[in-house]
Amino acid sequence: MTKEFSPDRLDIKAFAQAGGQLSGHDSLLKYERLAQEAKGLHPDLLVDWKVAGEVRTELGGTGQVWLHLSVHASFPMECQRCMTPVDVPLDVERSFRFVADEATAEALDDDCDEDLLALSREFDLRELIEDELLMALPVVPKHDECPSSVPLASSDEDFEAANSEKPNPFAALASLRKDEKGT
């Protein structure tokens, strides 16, 4: 009999020992914190994810519990250059090593290159997926190439006038060069 695993209450150790694999195609609306960041959210937006568990045996013979996560989503945001909607692709590929508890994870964190999490029998995989997608959001979302040209102008008339009245700071250098040639 194959054990069924739930992404909402995942027994990480049992999942890894079984070499378990799960995948899903969730509506972006299932991820409340992520949905709050979206511009133009609709039910057709999906979060595609896959997760696999494994136990790696190290030199000392102790087994380490690992979880490998792969997530892809297209996320609606607002381009900060042209201020129009832009769908930002979000891709996450991460592996996590699980340790006995939070204290152990905290103690080992500075000396480890791996991402450490505490073992749990009721681990919320979707919460981890949401956290990883939130961290993958760009600070300044923008199109590779905006659909319309972006005018670079100031709406402040005083600013434009002040800039046009400024003398060129290199004009003095040009006059020095003329003096050198003349002598």
PDB file of all heavy atoms in Angstrom, residues 146-159:
ATOM      1  N   CYS A 146       9.260  47.797 -22.788  1.00  0.00           N
ATOM      2  CA  CYS A 146       7.912  48.319 -22.532  1.00  0.00           C
ATOM      3  C   CYS A 146       7.103  48.382 -23.832  1.00  0.00           C
ATOM      4  O   CYS A 146       7.662  48.680 -24.890  1.00  0.00           O
ATOM      5  CB  CYS A 146       7.981  49.690 -21.874  1.00  0.00           C
ATOM      6  SG  CYS A 146       8.615  49.606 -20.185  1.00  0.00           S
ATOM      7  N   PRO A 147       5.782  48.111 -23.753  1.00  0.00           N
ATOM      8  CA  PRO A 147       4.939  48.101 -24.951  1.00  0.00           C
ATOM      9  C   PRO A 147       4.809  49.473 -25.610  1.00  0.00           C
ATOM     10  O   PRO A 147       4.537  49.569 -26.797  1.00  0.00           O
ATOM     11  CB  PRO A 147       3.582  47.602 -24.454  1.00  0.00           C
ATOM     12  CG  PRO A 147       3.619  47.707 -22.984  1.00  0.00           C
ATOM     13  CD  PRO A 147       5.044  47.755 -22.557  1.00  0.00           C
ATOM     14  N   SER A 148       4.997  50.534 -24.852  1.00  0.00           N
ATOM     15  CA  SER A 148       4.955  51.884 -25.426  1.00  0.00           C
ATOM     16  C   SER A 148       6.151  52.657 -24.902  1.00  0.00           C
ATOM     17  O   SER A 148       6.679  52.366 -23.827  1.00  0.00           O
ATOM     18  CB  SER A 148       3.645  52.586 -25.051  1.00  0.00           C
ATOM     19  OG  SER A 148       3.533  52.644 -23.645  1.00  0.00           O
ATOM     20  N   SER A 149       6.576  53.645 -25.674  1.00  0.00           N
ATOM     21  CA  SER A 149       7.743  54.413 -25.256  1.00  0.00           C
ATOM     22  C   SER A 149       7.409  55.221 -24.005  1.00  0.00           C
ATOM     23  O   SER A 149       6.293  55.687 -23.814  1.00  0.00           O
ATOM     24  CB  SER A 149       8.225  55.325 -26.381  1.00  0.00           C
ATOM     25  OG  SER A 149       7.229  56.281 -26.675  1.00  0.00           O
ATOM     26  N   VAL A 150       8.406  55.375 -23.175  1.00  0.00           N
ATOM     27  CA  VAL A 150       8.226  56.080 -21.915  1.00  0.00           C
ATOM     28  C   VAL A 150       8.856  57.458 -22.050  1.00  0.00           C
ATOM     29  O   VAL A 150      10.068  57.576 -22.240  1.00  0.00           O
ATOM     30  CB  VAL A 150       8.891  55.312 -20.751  1.00  0.00           C
ATOM     31  CG1 VAL A 150       8.697  56.039 -19.447  1.00  0.00           C
ATOM     32  CG2 VAL A 150       8.351  53.903 -20.670  1.00  0.00           C
ATOM     33  N   PRO A 151       8.045  58.526 -21.994  1.00  0.00           N
ATOM     34  CA  PRO A 151       8.622  59.869 -22.101  1.00  0.00           C
ATOM     35  C   PRO A 151       9.415  60.199 -20.837  1.00  0.00           C
ATOM     36  O   PRO A 151       8.969  59.968 -19.726  1.00  0.00           O
ATOM     37  CB  PRO A 151       7.393  60.782 -22.235  1.00  0.00           C
ATOM     38  CG  PRO A 151       6.280  60.014 -21.615  1.00  0.00           C
ATOM     39  CD  PRO A 151       6.603  58.560 -21.813  1.00  0.00           C
ATOM     40  N   LEU A 152      10.607  60.711 -21.033  1.00  0.00           N
ATOM     41  CA  LEU A 152      11.440  61.113 -19.908  1.00  0.00           C
ATOM     42  C   LEU A 152      11.375  62.629 -19.790  1.00  0.00           C
ATOM     43  O   LEU A 152      12.150  63.346 -20.401  1.00  0.00           O
ATOM     44  CB  LEU A 152      12.881  60.642 -20.104  1.00  0.00           C
ATOM     45  CG  LEU A 152      13.062  59.139 -20.211  1.00  0.00           C
ATOM     46  CD1 LEU A 152      14.507  58.801 -20.490  1.00  0.00           C
ATOM     47  CD2 LEU A 152      12.616  58.463 -18.928  1.00  0.00           C
ATOM     48  N   ALA A 153      10.425  63.113 -19.037  1.00  0.00           N
ATOM     49  CA  ALA A 153      10.236  64.549 -18.867  1.00  0.00           C
ATOM     50  C   ALA A 153       9.783  64.823 -17.451  1.00  0.00           C
ATOM     51  O   ALA A 153       9.208  63.973 -16.786  1.00  0.00           O
ATOM     52  CB  ALA A 153       9.203  65.061 -19.855  1.00  0.00           C
ATOM     53  N   SER A 154      10.029  66.018 -17.024  1.00  0.00           N
ATOM     54  CA  SER A 154       9.609  66.419 -15.695  1.00  0.00           C
ATOM     55  C   SER A 154       8.317  67.206 -15.805  1.00  0.00           C
ATOM     56  O   SER A 154       8.111  67.962 -16.755  1.00  0.00           O
ATOM     57  CB  SER A 154      10.699  67.300 -15.059  1.00  0.00           C
ATOM     58  OG  SER A 154      10.221  67.854 -13.864  1.00  0.00           O
ATOM     59  N   SER A 155       7.476  67.039 -14.841  1.00  0.00           N
ATOM     60  CA  SER A 155       6.237  67.808 -14.838  1.00  0.00           C
ATOM     61  C   SER A 155       6.417  69.117 -14.084  1.00  0.00           C
ATOM     62  O   SER A 155       5.510  69.928 -14.008  1.00  0.00           O
ATOM     63  CB  SER A 155       5.108  66.990 -14.207  1.00  0.00           C
ATOM     64  OG  SER A 155       5.459  66.660 -12.874  1.00  0.00           O
ATOM     65  N   ASP A 156       7.601  69.348 -13.559  1.00  0.00           N
ATOM     66  CA  ASP A 156       7.899  70.563 -12.800  1.00  0.00           C
ATOM     67  C   ASP A 156       8.589  71.567 -13.725  1.00  0.00           C
ATOM     68  O   ASP A 156       9.741  71.388 -14.121  1.00  0.00           O
ATOM     69  CB  ASP A 156       8.803  70.203 -11.612  1.00  0.00           C
ATOM     70  CG  ASP A 156       9.069  71.379 -10.701  1.00  0.00           C
ATOM     71  OD1 ASP A 156       8.609  72.496 -11.008  1.00  0.00           O
ATOM     72  OD2 ASP A 156       9.751  71.180  -9.675  1.00  0.00           O
ATOM     73  N   GLU A 157       7.900  72.672 -14.066  1.00  0.00           N
ATOM     74  CA  GLU A 157       8.447  73.671 -14.993  1.00  0.00           C
ATOM     75  C   GLU A 157       9.693  74.338 -14.425  1.00  0.00           C
ATOM     76  O   GLU A 157      10.632  74.654 -15.154  1.00  0.00           O
ATOM     77  CB  GLU A 157       7.385  74.720 -15.326  1.00  0.00           C
ATOM     78  CG  GLU A 157       6.265  74.160 -16.187  1.00  0.00           C
ATOM     79  CD  GLU A 157       5.160  75.168 -16.431  1.00  0.00           C
ATOM     80  OE1 GLU A 157       5.413  76.378 -16.283  1.00  0.00           O
ATOM     81  OE2 GLU A 157       4.057  74.730 -16.764  1.00  0.00           O
ATOM     82  N   ASP A 158       9.729  74.573 -13.118  1.00  0.00           N
ATOM     83  CA  ASP A 158      10.897  75.198 -12.497  1.00  0.00           C
ATOM     84  C   ASP A 158      12.134  74.320 -12.642  1.00  0.00           C
ATOM     85  O   ASP A 158      13.248  74.814 -12.837  1.00  0.00           O
ATOM     86  CB  ASP A 158      10.639  75.470 -11.008  1.00  0.00           C
ATOM     87  CG  ASP A 158       9.558  76.531 -10.797  1.00  0.00           C
ATOM     88  OD1 ASP A 158       9.356  77.353 -11.726  1.00  0.00           O
ATOM     89  OD2 ASP A 158       8.932  76.528  -9.720  1.00  0.00           O
ATOM     90  N   PHE A 159      11.961  73.018 -12.551  1.00  0.00           N
ATOM     91  CA  PHE A 159      13.085  72.095 -12.689  1.00  0.00           C
ATOM     92  C   PHE A 159      13.668  72.191 -14.096  1.00  0.00           C
ATOM     93  O   PHE A 159      14.874  72.275 -14.283  1.00  0.00           O
ATOM     94  CB  PHE A 159      12.628  70.661 -12.391  1.00  0.00           C
ATOM     95  CG  PHE A 159      13.698  69.623 -12.560  1.00  0.00           C
ATOM     96  CD1 PHE A 159      14.661  69.441 -11.580  1.00  0.00           C
ATOM     97  CD2 PHE A 159      13.751  68.844 -13.711  1.00  0.00           C
ATOM     98  CE1 PHE A 159      15.661  68.491 -11.741  1.00  0.00           C
ATOM     99  CE2 PHE A 159      14.747  67.899 -13.871  1.00  0.00           C
ATOM    100  CZ  PHE A 159      15.709  67.720 -12.888  1.00  0.00           C
TER     101      PHE A 159
END
